Amino acid sequence: MSNSKTIAKNTLFLYFRMFLIMGVTLYTSRVVLQQLGVSDYGIYSLVGGIVTMLGFFNAAMSSATQRYLSFDIGRGDEKKLQKTFSATLTIHILIAVLALILAETFGLWYINYKMVFPGNRLYAVNVVYQFSVLTFLLNIVQVPYNALIIARERMNIYAYVSILEAVLKLGIVFLLVLGEDKLILYSILTFSVAFIIRMIYQLYCQRQFKESKYKFEYDRVYFSELLAYSGWNLFGNFAAVARGQGVNMVLNLFFGTVINAAYGITMQIQGAVQMFVNNFQMAVNPQIIKLYASNSFEDMKKLVFQASRFSYFLLLFLVVPLLIHTEYILQLWLGIIPEGTFVFVRLSLISILIDAISGSLMIAVQATGKVKWYQIILGSFIFLNLPLSYFVLSIWKEDYYVFLVLVLITFLTLIFRMFFLRSILNFRVFEFCREVLSRIVLVTMLIVISYYIIINNYAEFFETNTGGSFILNVFMEFGSVFLIVMMLGIKKEEREFISKRFKRYER
């Protein structure tokens, strides 16, 4: 793997960060759900989602920022790097102003006149909404700083700051018991933590990277280039927001805030699981863009193939136990489980597994800069989640059907990405199917067949009744997945690389 030592080191830092955040999230989510109650938890999930929807342009600009900063570093152009940072920060400030206008007009109207919630929570909903908006504006302006840290591959900073973030989030849980209106207090405390963390990242960049010194310089041609790149990403990101939070709003129209609580729990699990693979992809992504910038196309292709396989297999370690023990884990974690959560979570995990294969393909497209037709066609596929979800709910009235739609469209977008790359980067689809998809399908089928054979013959032994039996089962599942992946999922040279890394840590 290209620059494998750097990728391995950064991945370790990011996984340390992930496990820390995941542990705190698991604990705090349970307490917050119990303190707020199912309805208020659903309100917080939906309100936060509506605010997120208003920032689809920010998501489009974020990918442009990451791409251009990494590209300039790959070319070794320090002057252009400083210009790119200042230009992207200027654009993000303008985006924050636009988001504020949308939030205080369209968003406020929807909250007060369209959203379904108990009538006595009107004041609380509006307070939560305003603090959610403030938190979101902070995140917008912070994007160029975080993108610079990733482009410079300083992943250890995320790990260190996460320790403080974990402590502050635990503090929220303990302070929450003191409030009269816990929903309002939770929104205020969440904003406070976001403010502290964002300021730390910004101060670090300003002290460590000279290119982060902001200097306003209006270059119409360069601004146009950045906005044109972002403009084509705009529809794709709007579609992604419609898929996530738009579907949440549709569920609210049909079933109310209780089902939004189930959806919110599912999105938390989805976020935690995606973080598991995103950390690996975050370490790989700058390398893919830099290889393209240096015209090392063959090395780039090899890295894309490896990243797709490793992303899927890393995620498989986590998803297999979650799929098998969904009910036990949710009961252990939450105590109170909103109706519909079990099915939501399982279908969501299947969708995440399929999407993990696409991560490096998306970055390869972004690296080329040729995103116009990619975003138009892909965005159209993804956006279909919203109207199709509304359509199936209006006919069948089964809430989990929205996730069946999600799985289907996720699979179709994977197919599209492969053929799109073939048209712009001489990407060999057959080779990708042989080296990546065939191994993934083989490993997955063997795991599924093994599970059904074991369950049908040794069901009593594998029942999860206590913490001890659960831990034993999970270790056995980890071991089985590891053996199957090592034997059938990866190549000989990759096994040798992993073996060498383990031997080095043993010394």
Side-chain angles (χ1 to χ4, degrees):
M1 187 177 287
S2 175
N3 209 350
S4 55
K5 290 184 179 179
T6 301
I7 292 173
K9 182 185 73 174
N10 286 332
T11 302
L12 285 175
F13 278 122
L14 290 168
Y15 272 101
F16 169 77
R17 174 180 182 263
M18 179 204 70
F19 282 118
L20 188 64
I21 292 175
M22 190 181 292
V24 172
T25 301
L26 288 173
Y27 173 72
T28 56
S29 296
R30 176 189 175 96
V31 177
V32 169
L33 179 60
Q34 291 174 343
Q35 290 290 325
L36 297 184
V38 172
S39 182
D40 274 6
Y41 190 90
I43 289 172
Y44 188 84
S45 170
L46 183 60
V47 169
I50 292 170
V51 174
T52 302
M53 285 193 71
L54 300 173
F56 59 90
F57 186 77
N58 178 56
M61 192 61 216
S62 297
S63 60
T65 302
Q66 182 64 63
R67 188 263 179 185
Y68 276 86
L69 290 175
S70 295
F71 196 91
D72 291 339
I73 293 171
R75 286 281 175 89
D77 192 338
E78 295 293 329
K79 185 176 180 181
K80 183 74 174 296
L81 179 63
Q82 197 279 329
K83 180 179 180 180
T84 298
F85 179 85
S86 294
T88 55
L89 184 55
T90 299
I91 293 172
H92 276 87
I93 292 171
L94 294 175
I95 292 171
V97 173
L98 176 62
L100 180 61
I101 293 170
L102 288 173
E104 297 303 334
T105 53
F106 170 78
L108 205 57
W109 166 80
Y110 186 89
I111 285 288
N112 285 284
Y113 294 100
K114 292 295 180 182
M115 182 174 156
V116 179
F117 56 86
N120 63 342
R121 302 303 285 151
L122 179 63
Y123 174 74
V125 165
N126 277 274
V127 173
V128 169
Y129 179 73
Q130 294 301 330
F131 276 100
S132 296
V133 169
L134 289 174
T135 303
F136 184 66
L137 295 178
L138 279 178
N139 292 340
I140 292 176
V141 179
Q142 186 61 30
V143 165
Y145 295 99
N146 285 39
L148 185 58
I149 293 173
I150 294 170
R152 286 293 189 184
E153 301 185 68
R154 300 288 182 87
M155 309 306 179
N156 58 320
I157 298 305
Y158 282 106
Y160 300 147
V161 176
S162 292
I163 296 174
L164 175 62
E165 187 176 6
V167 171
L168 292 174
K169 285 185 175 180
L170 285 173
I172 288 178
V173 171
F174 294 116
L175 291 174
L176 199 57
V177 299
L178 304 176
E180 287 187 25
D181 194 314
K182 300 184 191 311
L183 181 59
I184 292 176
L185 179 60
Y186 182 64
S187 65
I188 295 172
L189 293 174
T190 301
F191 164 75
S192 302
V193 170
F195 178 79
I196 293 170
I197 296 303
R198 296 302 164 196
M199 289 305 299
I200 290 173
Y201 282 132
Q202 182 172 328
L203 290 171
Y204 174 83
C205 286
Q206 290 173 343
R207 292 185 179 183
Q208 294 295 320
F209 308 129
K210 60 182 180 181
E211 63 268 18
S212 69
K213 300 291 190 297
Y214 178 69
K215 178 183 178 183
F216 179 78
E217 179 183 347
Y218 182 69
D219 183 333
R220 187 179 63 83
V221 175
Y222 194 51
F223 269 68
S224 298
E225 181 182 344
L226 286 169
L227 289 171
Y229 182 92
S230 303
W232 295 121
N233 284 325
L234 183 62
F235 182 61
N237 285 281
F238 173 73
V241 171
R243 174 182 62 185
Q245 300 306 329
V247 170
N248 196 17
M249 293 167 66
V250 169
L251 285 169
N252 177 256
L253 293 175
F254 281 91
F255 304 104
T257 56
V258 172
I259 209 67
N260 292 129
Y263 191 88
I265 292 294
T266 304
M267 290 300 102
Q268 277 210 324
I269 294 172
Q270 181 174 302
V273 172
Q274 283 181 321
M275 193 190 303
F276 192 79
V277 71
N278 286 350
N279 285 322
F280 171 71
Q281 290 175 344
M282 192 185 296
V284 174
N285 291 349
Q287 293 290 331
I288 293 174
I289 297 171
K290 290 172 186 176
L291 285 171
Y292 180 83
S294 61
N295 298 320
S296 302
F297 300 125
E298 198 60 31
D299 287 338
M300 175 191 172
K301 185 208 74 174
K302 185 185 295 185
L303 182 56
V304 167
F305 280 29
Q306 290 175 321
S308 288
R309 278 189 285 110
F310 276 80
S311 295
Y312 183 89
F313 293 140
L314 281 170
L315 199 57
L316 202 61
F317 281 101
L318 188 62
V319 167
V320 167
L322 284 172
L323 284 172
I324 294 173
H325 307 292
T326 307
E327 295 185 20
Y328 181 82
I329 291 171
L330 288 178
Q331 190 66 50
L332 188 69
W333 171 32
L334 298 173
I336 303 170
I337 304 173
E339 184 181 351
T341 308
F342 295 140
V343 181
F344 281 15
V345 168
R346 283 179 170 141
L347 291 173
S348 175
L349 291 174
I350 293 171
S351 171
I352 296 168
L353 271 175
I354 299 170
D355 215 28
I357 307 170
S358 295
S360 60
L361 302 182
M362 287 187 275
I363 296 302
V365 175
Q366 297 287 346
T368 68
K370 300 173 183 178
V371 297
K372 175 182 176 180
W373 287 106
Y374 172 81
Q375 293 294 357
I376 290 173
I377 299 173
L378 185 78
S380 298
F381 269 123
I382 294 174
F383 184 78
L384 281 174
N385 277 278
L386 186 58
L388 283 179
S389 294
Y390 188 91
F391 175 73
V392 298
L393 288 181
S394 62
I395 294 177
W396 289 287
K397 310 294 186 195
E398 294 286 352
D399 49 26
Y400 69 90
Y401 275 28
V402 299
F403 283 94
L404 292 177
V405 171
L406 175 64
V407 171
L408 173 63
I409 293 179
T410 302
F411 176 75
L412 293 175
T413 55
L414 169 62
I415 302 301
F416 166 74
R417 288 185 178 107
M418 292 191 297
F419 283 96
F420 186 85
L421 272 173
R422 185 182 68 174
S423 67
I424 65 169
L425 202 61
N426 194 27
F427 184 83
R428 294 183 283 275
V429 174
F430 177 77
E431 189 178 349
F432 184 81
C433 291
R434 187 187 68 222
E435 294 193 14
V436 179
L437 293 185
S438 63
R439 292 175 182 269
I440 285 172
V441 171
L442 182 61
V443 167
T444 305
M445 287 181 62
L446 191 56
I447 289 172
V448 171
I449 292 170
S450 301
Y451 171 72
Y452 276 105
I453 290 173
I454 291 171
I455 288 299
N456 287 333
N457 292 279
Y458 307 100
E460 293 182 3
F461 180 77
F462 286 94
E463 285 183 1
T464 305
N465 297 319
T466 64
S469 64
F470 169 70
I471 293 171
L472 177 63
N473 288 346
V474 169
F475 270 111
M476 292 178 68
E477 288 149 11
F478 277 151
S480 300
V481 173
F482 180 77
L483 287 174
I484 294 172
V485 168
M486 290 294 286
M487 288 188 300
L488 303 173
I490 62 177
K491 295 181 177 180
K492 180 181 177 182
E493 59 267 26
E494 293 165 345
R495 281 195 294 271
E496 291 173 353
F497 172 77
I498 294 171
S499 178
K500 287 178 182 178
R501 302 303 295 180
F502 273 115
K503 288 178 181 178
R504 178 174 294 183
Y505 290 125
E506 287 174 358
R507 294 174 184 172

